[in-house]
């Protein structure tokens, strides 16, 4: 909650006061998130007014030194793999942060460190607001999902056609 408070305190024109007034509710929502992970499909939607939603989204959408510090801290605390490669594709550099629970649906988690996943712009764009479907979650939650190591997740065959490698 310290990051939220620092970001809220950096706001002006009454937004800082409104965000500080939301602190207890936001903190309770952070506790809900932490207690439900990795079963985040069970999380209830918040009940924020339109003005509160705008204020909460402003925390992420408008840069502040406090937000910059949060994003740097998230990236630098990742292991070597997570610090250098996208958390979703594992190929590109993590140049952006994805809101695992979309900020459009859950604005209270816009600056919650467990909801921000370092990823590449392509994966961030491809995921968009998608994180669950009719069957539950459809995107891995990289901070707490257990990933089986005894399963072949990807298999590639390489053949040569006229001395050119062709993968399938």
């Amino acid at each position: 909650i310290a990051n939220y408070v620092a970001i809220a305190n950096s706001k002006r024109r009454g937004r800082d006061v409104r965000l500080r007034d939301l602190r207890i509710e936001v903190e309770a929502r952070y506790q809900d998130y932490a207690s439900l992970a990795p079963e985040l499909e069970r999380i209830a939607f918040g009940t924020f007014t339109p003005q509160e939603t705008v204020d909460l989204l402003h925390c992420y959408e408008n840069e502040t030194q406090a937000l910059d510090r949060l994003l740097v801290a998230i990236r630098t605390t990742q292991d070597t793999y997570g610090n250098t490669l996208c958390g979703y594709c594992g190929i590109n550099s993590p140049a952006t942060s994805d809101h695992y629970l979309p900020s459009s649906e859950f604005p209270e988690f816009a600056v919650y460190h467990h909801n921000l996943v370092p990823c590449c712009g392509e994966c961030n764009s491809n995921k968009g607001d998608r994180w669950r479907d009719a069957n539950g979650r459809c995107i891995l939650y990289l901070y707490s999902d257990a990933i089986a190591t005894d399963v072949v997740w990807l298999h590639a065959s390489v053949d040569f056609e006229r001395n050119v490698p062709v993968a399938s």
Side-chain angles (χ1 to χ4, degrees):
I1 197 72
N3 293 311
Y4 172 82
V5 171
I7 293 167
N9 286 337
S10 70
K11 302 303 176 179
R12 302 286 176 260
R13 298 190 178 120
R15 181 168 277 139
D16 53 343
V17 174
R18 292 190 305 268
L19 287 167
R20 282 194 298 267
D21 288 347
L22 286 173
R23 181 185 175 277
I24 292 172
E25 187 174 354
V26 169
E27 186 171 16
R29 295 292 291 156
Y30 285 9
Q31 290 171 358
D32 291 345
Y33 192 111
S35 69
L36 288 172
E39 297 175 347
L40 290 171
E41 66 276 11
R42 295 178 38 216
I43 200 160
F45 290 100
T47 56
F48 297 97
T49 68
Q51 181 63 58
E52 291 168 340
T53 297
V54 167
D55 290 342
L56 289 164
L57 292 174
H58 192 273
C59 290
Y60 186 82
E61 293 169 350
N62 294 79
E63 287 188 36
T64 61
Q65 289 179 350
L67 175 61
D68 290 343
R69 283 192 300 272
L70 169 63
L71 296 175
V72 166
I74 290 169
R75 289 212 174 97
T76 57
T77 57
Q78 303 292 319
D79 60 15
T80 303
Y81 175 87
N83 200 351
T84 58
L85 298 172
C86 170
Y88 292 126
C89 70
I91 299 171
N92 299 316
S93 296
T96 67
S97 292
D98 175 59
H99 290 92
Y100 183 78
L101 297 183
S103 57
S104 60
E105 295 179 36
F106 299 93
E108 65 272 34
F109 301 126
V111 293
Y112 183 48
H113 62 282
H114 288 292
N115 195 50
L116 295 168
V117 178
C119 65
C120 69
E122 186 175 351
C123 285
N124 196 345
S125 182
N126 287 338
K127 178 185 169 281
D129 286 349
R130 184 171 48 101
W131 67 284
R132 65 178 169 189
D133 59 19
N135 298 318
R137 287 187 307 115
C138 61
I139 302 288
L140 283 173
Y141 179 58
L142 302 171
Y143 292 136
S144 64
D145 279 344
I147 300 173
T149 57
D150 60 341
V151 175
V152 175
W153 293 97
L154 177 66
H155 177 79
S157 295
V158 179
D159 295 314
F160 288 87
E161 295 178 9
R162 292 182 237 142
N163 292 329
V164 176
V166 178
S168 59

